[in-house]
Amino acid sequence: VHGAISGIKVGVMGRAGQPSDRALAAPRSYDQIPGYAGLADAAKVKELEHEVDQWRGKFEMAMARLGENPYPEQIGGNAVPFTPVPPNLGLGTDDHVRKPKKTREELEAMDTFGADERIVRILHGARVEIDEEMARDLPTWDDVVEMYGEEPIIEGLDTCEGYRASVDAADRMIGPAGMFNTGTNLLYELMKTNCRIAEARLRPRREPRQNGMRWQVPWGKHNPPTTHRFKNIAKAWGKGIKQDEFMPVVLIKDPYTWMGSQCRHKYTTFWGHDEEH
């Protein structure tokens, strides 16, 4: 597993196979695992299984960035819903390489073509370059507030206390769920970077930062919980997880903009059609 995964380029090798200089970190050798030589055989197996899980996670994320299903053998009736990185993130460009983003200082020195200052700050914070065409299409902050309000709408915060009371801190896990094109990958990246369950380090799970933040719910992030929770185990990040100890964070999106996103990037969804529709 180490040998296979260490050669994968993460997010920078296009379908034409042109590599770049950014690859996964080299796997650590056994003698780099603290105290490995003195462990009992069962403990050694456990350490190596954890290492395999870590690298499997890297493989899944690398394949997602390449827009490929990491488990193609599952395509068919038992396929796991899979969300590749959309084409508009840089893959599939003419040079097949994700273009480096400009620094915040470089962006702030550029013309923003009259775009709303609040919107500009948000986009520059995400290191998004604003061109004249984009500036024409951007709303004002007043438009955003009028339609959606000043802050994100979060439902269900009243359930957190019950969750903390019923699940030990070391066993708590959080991950995104939602339909395609609702932002589940972005939410995972935000949680991975900004959230932390300190006690999660006591459990040898496959989280990149061992902080309890996981890529998806264990029944599959695009699967309805009414039909899949406790009945399905997601191939990616689902094995060995107690589903009643998992806190899902479910995303929804404005139906109008969501339908436009689906038309641009439908992923594995399919809508029935007839002669009139």
Side-chain angles (χ1 to χ4, degrees), residues 185-203:
N185 283 337
L186 172 62
L187 179 62
Y188 167 67
E189 292 297 330
L190 292 172
M191 292 195 304
K192 180 180 71 174
T193 303
N194 298 289
C195 303
R196 177 173 174 264
I197 300 173
E199 295 84 354
R201 288 188 172 275
L202 302 176
R203 297 289 186 267

Side-chain angles (χ1 to χ4, degrees), residues 7-34:
I8 292 178
K9 308 296 180 180
V10 182
V12 292
M13 182 178 288
R15 297 183 186 280
Q18 296 182 6
S20 105
D21 57 358
R22 218 179 79 201
L24 289 173
R28 61 181 183 177
S29 61
Y30 303 144
D31 57 4
Q32 292 177 302
I33 298 176

Side-chain angles (χ1 to χ4, degrees), residues 21-210:
D21 57 358
R22 218 179 79 201
L24 289 173
R28 61 181 183 177
S29 61
Y30 303 144
D31 57 4
Q32 292 177 302
I33 298 176
Y36 179 81
L39 295 176
D41 288 347
K44 288 181 178 179
V45 169
K46 189 173 182 179
E47 284 285 344
L48 294 177
E49 286 176 343
H50 179 55
E51 278 289 289
V52 169
D53 275 345
Q54 293 280 352
W55 281 98
R56 186 182 294 117
K58 290 178 180 289
F59 165 71
E60 289 162 1
M61 294 302 293
M63 292 296 284
R65 290 180 181 275
L66 291 171
E68 301 290 346
N69 189 332
Y71 304 106
E73 71 277 5
Q74 291 190 353
I75 293 177
N78 297 319
V80 174
F82 172 70
T83 305
V85 173
N88 60 350
L89 290 188
L91 300 176
T93 54
D94 290 340
D95 57 1
H96 303 285
V97 175
R98 187 188 300 274
K99 296 179 180 179
K101 294 181 178 180
K102 289 182 169 59
T103 66
R104 184 71 176 265
E105 292 73 19
E106 289 174 326
L107 291 172
E108 290 176 349
M110 297 175 65
D111 190 350
T112 56
F113 305 97
D116 186 288
E117 290 185 7
R118 181 76 177 265
I119 302 296
V120 168
R121 288 201 300 272
I122 293 172
L123 293 176
H124 282 179
R127 294 176 66 191
V128 173
E129 183 177 343
I130 302 170
D131 59 24
E132 190 170 3
E133 181 180 1
M134 179 188 292
R136 285 197 304 268
D137 294 335
L138 288 173
T140 66
W141 181 248
D142 289 340
D143 292 335
V144 173
V145 171
E146 182 180 2
M147 183 170 288
Y148 299 112
E150 290 271 1
E151 299 176 347
I153 300 172
I154 304 176
E155 301 285 352
L157 290 176
D158 55 313
T159 66
C160 295
E161 183 177 354
Y163 175 74
R164 289 194 296 266
S166 61
V167 180
D168 290 340
D171 296 322
R172 295 172 193 161
M173 295 162 283
I174 302 175
M179 299 179 74
F180 292 115
N181 286 304
T182 55
T184 55
N185 283 337
L186 172 62
L187 179 62
Y188 167 67
E189 292 297 330
L190 292 172
M191 292 195 304
K192 180 180 71 174
T193 303
N194 298 289
C195 303
R196 177 173 174 264
I197 300 173
E199 295 84 354
R201 288 188 172 275
L202 302 176
R203 297 289 186 267
R205 296 188 297 255
R206 195 192 347 146
E207 296 131 20
R209 302 191 181 186
Q210 295 183 323

